[in-house]
Amino acid sequence: MAAILLDGAAIAQDVYAQLHERIQRLHVRGIQPGLAAILIGENSASRIYLKNKARACARVGVHSEMFEFPADCSEHEIFSKLQALNADSRIHGILVQLPLPAHLRSERILQAITPAKDVDGFNWVNLGAMVAGHTLLAPCTPLGVMTMLDYARSPIEGRNAVVIGRSALVGKPLALMLIARGATVSVCNSKTTDLRQYTSIADILAVAVGRPGLIDGSMIKPGAVVIDIGINRMPDGKLAGDVDFASASQVASRITPVPGGVGRMTVAMLLANTVTAAERSLGIEVPYPAQ
Ligand code: NAP
């Protein structure tokens, strides 16, 4: 393998160590950061994600609570809970685990989280701020990607960055963050006629689609930094990304694995956002992303 592995687990450890210090400083001021998670319905993957998030909270000293609702609950019940959590001074971050049962409108529910506690960064206030070149609380996965690029000391300014996938929660905010850092950014989608035309000029290639093997080594510019955001459950039960790791790692200069790459960073950034929100609740000005 020619490429250097960008190890999400190792970088996340480093992030947790820094968070631990920030949390200690908050403890001195009588504050323990608190994260509230809402789980609606029975979804085994969502339950596992939330368990991992709670475990990470416990490791760094963030208080976490989970509130469960049955699959047939009403939007009104969720709004009431969110209203109470918005007003609860022990809670600095709130998340609603997606996906939601079909009768619940996730866009409406996500808007009911007050932007200052929206640690998933999905509220339109937080997403919209990025369009204006500001970051209040950013979505965790794109924020994790940017953190990985910085750890890799991968230059961003002046580079060609190609983001494949234009979802509101991953591809689009990542493109905005890369634009804010001075990259020249192309964003591809399912209608893009010649993906290779874009991937072959990418100094930074970030893939967030959900199709295993969409990108192989022949499509990658030699020396590119390849960030594989996709998570796909394969027939044998194993996880795979959107990038064919075996061929891509022969061409790229740096590459993230799946599992053990961006996914680890997503959880770390959720905690970072929670600590940032807790600091801001005390009026502490936090440079963003906080170092
Ligand atoms: P999504 O909402 O389904 O969006 C997928 C995007 O891929 C869409 O913009 C779609 O284009 C585009 N696309 C589909 N087929 C394509 C093709 N052949 N060529 C180019 N673009 C194509 O998914 P998402 O929420 O952004 O998630 C994407 C992947 O990242 C999934 O595998 C998900 O599990 C993973 N993910 C990982 C993490 C993590 O922590 N690592 C976090 C979130 C998501 P259109 O807009 O034209 O349909």
Side-chain angles (χ1 to χ4, degrees), residues 85-104:
L85 292 170
N86 283 342
D88 186 338
S89 62
R90 296 171 311 120
I91 296 298
H92 305 93
I94 303 169
L95 72 88
V96 177
Q97 186 65 45
L98 302 177
L100 299 182
H103 70 287
L104 298 175

Side-chain angles (χ1 to χ4, degrees), residues 49 141 164-171 188-192 195 207-211 214 228-232 240 242 261-267:
Y49 288 140
T141 299
I164 307 186
R166 58 172 166 176
S167 71
L169 307 184
V170 184
C188 301
N189 59 63
S190 65
K191 312 291 186 293
T192 302
L195 213 51
V207 191
V209 172
R211 277 189 52 183
L214 179 70
D228 190 355
I229 301 166
I231 300 179
N232 306 288
D242 291 343
V262 176
R264 294 297 193 104
M265 295 301 295
T266 297
V267 179

